[in-house]
Amino acid sequence: MSRVLVIGCGGVANVAIRKCCMVSEVFTELMIASRTKEKCDVLAEELRKISKTKIETAKVDADSKDELVKLINSYKPDLVMNIALPYQDLTIMDACLECHVNYMDTANYEPENTDDPEWRKIYEKRCKEEGFSAYFDYSWQWAYKKKFEDAGLIALLGSGFDPGVTQAYVAYAKKHEFDTIDTIDILDCNGGDHGYKFATNFNPEVNLREVSAPGSYWEDGHWIEIPAMSIKREYDFDQVGMKDMYLLHHEEIESIAKNLPEVKRIRFFMTFGQSYLDHMRCLEDVGMLSTTPVMFEGKEIVPIKFLKALLPDPASLGPRTHGKTNIGCIFTGKKDGKDKTYYIYNVCDHQECYKEVKSQAISYTTGVPAMCGALMLLTGKWNTPGVHTIEELDPDPFIEALDKYGLPKSESHDPVLVK
Ligand code: NDP
């Protein structure tokens, strides 16, 4: 028996909510609240016909702590699932603390306005001290650790696939396969084709910011930053085939490096087709990826927001995307004094996802771990107060839930390593 408040009703939230409603014995009551209430109403209407979960909807602006506090106090949930955007993470965490409710999200905090001078000062100091320049980092949310501990509450950060499942794979490898881990390569391959020349598989703003930023990796206790897309490798992915992949900065590298200091090198690679890269480079060169407002015909517009309005809605890609994703981690390390390698990954089929939840595999591979993370909190499998990333927690019940609810693991003890 639980009451859950989901904030956001976009691509990922749609999958997470549908999956929660398939586990109605745990998710007995659910409120969907977002900026555009009509989207919540359409989904609720559909799900009420097929699920026992009691669903309500509400309108909320999650940038306003006051609105959130009012909503949370009136609904009194056991857990708030933040599946809106990373911009809202801190406001929702503040509201959860004020209302004494557990919190979870799928991506770590970054500000919407990266020109804000106050934020910029802290950001520039962090760039110098830490050595990576991504707009997002964990420091903002880790700063809430003591507050959540003192309140006896949990904040679960990044319960998607990457971050999320990839960190559970790290904890699983450490628990079952290795005494010490030396290197981790996280490989995110999307072998799907939606037929558009250019579209992003999740929120275009968040996606394009991430992909156009400099890459970085962790080696021997510090970050090494490289120009965007300057390290390229080829890899032959199980059930997908040979793909080009590029080294990116990614948020889970930061928390894995902190929680498993023994690891000498951590890298993250994502596959991209040439057409995607050519379009992105061109858009960047003409300034369309900028978040700084410009005046256009007497009106202020933010270029990347305008671009978002032109691009296909990621939620509409489901019916037209064919092919598979393959996401996982390759490890090298030692067990009983001997060198060892291990690969754990999931393969997910875009069309199978669409049949099940009317979504492509990118939203599916994020929405299912969001539901499974919530399941861990609501059933008390993860119950240590504080602010946690997933490699800190027992991976077994989470990976069991992923196996059961649509993202089964595959393993290899003799993987091809990435050079
Ligand atoms: P969408 O843009 O599809 O959906 C975002 C939702 O949040 C929309 O319903 C939007 O409302 C709502 N929203 C935005 N701002 C506010 C606000 N101020 N108040 C209330 N609601 C708001 O994004 P996705 O579903 O693609 O992504 C959701 C999250 O998942 C993001 O944080 C993304 O970074 C993360 N993600 C994580 C991954 C992982 O593996 N860990 C992978 C992919 C995504 P409206 O309809 O009005 O726009």
Side-chain angles (χ1 to χ4, degrees), residues 194-200 204 207-208 274-281 283 289 307 310-312 317:
H194 44 57
Y196 286 116
K197 286 216 166 70
F198 186 73
T200 64
N207 183 224
L208 289 167
Q274 199 51 47
S275 167
Y276 182 96
L277 294 179
D278 290 345
H279 279 79
M280 193 185 75
R281 208 159 286 148
L283 290 165
L289 303 190
L307 175 65
L310 296 177
L311 290 175
L317 299 178

Side-chain angles (χ1 to χ4, degrees), residues 53 63 83-84 101 127-128 197 219 243 295 299 361:
T53 302
D63 289 320
I83 322 183
V101 185
C127 288
K128 261 196 216 128
K197 286 216 166 70
E219 194 164 58
K243 289 275 168 198
M295 290 306 287
K299 247 185 131 180

Side-chain angles (χ1 to χ4, degrees), residues 7-13 34-36 39 60-63 83-86 88 106-107 158-163 202-203 206 308 362 366:
I7 301 182
C9 193
V12 175
S34 190
R35 186 169 53 186
T36 314
K39 289 189 194 166
V60 73
D61 176 2
D63 289 320
I83 322 183
L85 295 176
Q88 282 87 44
T106 61
S159 193
F161 207 108
D162 44 346
F202 68 96
N203 185 283
V206 177
K308 182 181 178 213
I362 305 300
T366 312

Side-chain angles (χ1 to χ4, degrees), residues 344-378:
I344 177 169
Y345 59 95
N346 164 265
V347 176
C348 191
D349 184 290
H350 284 284
Q351 280 299 302
E352 292 297 320
C353 298
Y354 187 69
K355 268 186 233 149
E356 189 193 330
V357 294
K358 297 190 179 167
S359 155
Q360 30 80 359
I362 305 300
S363 301
Y364 189 91
T365 52
T366 312
V368 172
M371 182 280 277
C372 292
L375 195 66
M376 295 301 104
L377 300 182
L378 295 168

Side-chain angles (χ1 to χ4, degrees), residues 76-148:
K76 298 196 175 16
D78 305 302
L79 169 69
V80 173
M81 294 174 75
N82 167 15
I83 322 183
L85 295 176
Y87 313 144
Q88 282 87 44
D89 287 4
L90 302 185
T91 341
I92 302 177
M93 286 176 90
D94 283 330
C96 283
L97 278 171
E98 187 163 329
C99 302
H100 202 79
V101 185
N102 292 316
Y103 167 90
M104 62 170 283
D105 64 34
T106 61
N108 71 7
Y109 173 70
E110 65 179 277
E112 185 159 18
N113 175 11
T114 51
D115 295 325
D116 172 19
E118 239 173 77
W119 174 84
R120 203 107 214 143
K121 222 164 72 193
I122 300 169
Y123 163 75
E124 274 158 18
K125 185 165 173 273
R126 190 268 284 160
C127 288
K128 261 196 216 128
E129 283 172 4
E130 299 290 331
F132 68 95
S133 60
Y135 288 145
F136 49 86
D137 74 84
Y138 277 113
S139 64
W140 299 90
Q141 291 178 279
W142 281 339
Y144 284 71
K145 195 171 184 304
K146 188 158 186 329
K147 287 186 196 165
F148 272 84

Side-chain angles (χ1 to χ4, degrees), residues 189-250:
C189 163
N190 179 11
D193 183 7
H194 44 57
Y196 286 116
K197 286 216 166 70
F198 186 73
T200 64
N201 291 297
F202 68 96
N203 185 283
E205 207 178 318
V206 177
N207 183 224
L208 289 167
R209 267 193 190 193
E210 173 180 287
V211 173
S212 58
S216 61
Y217 59 99
W218 182 257
E219 194 164 58
D220 296 329
H222 63 273
W223 290 96
I224 297 177
E225 190 158 88
I226 54 157
M229 305 292 170
S230 60
I231 294 185
K232 176 185 166 186
R233 298 283 186 270
E234 278 190 342
Y235 199 82
D236 193 1
F237 288 92
D238 182 25
Q239 298 183 54
V240 175
M242 198 61 98
K243 289 275 168 198
D244 291 341
M245 59 184 193
Y246 297 82
L247 189 145
L248 297 187
H249 176 83
H250 223 247

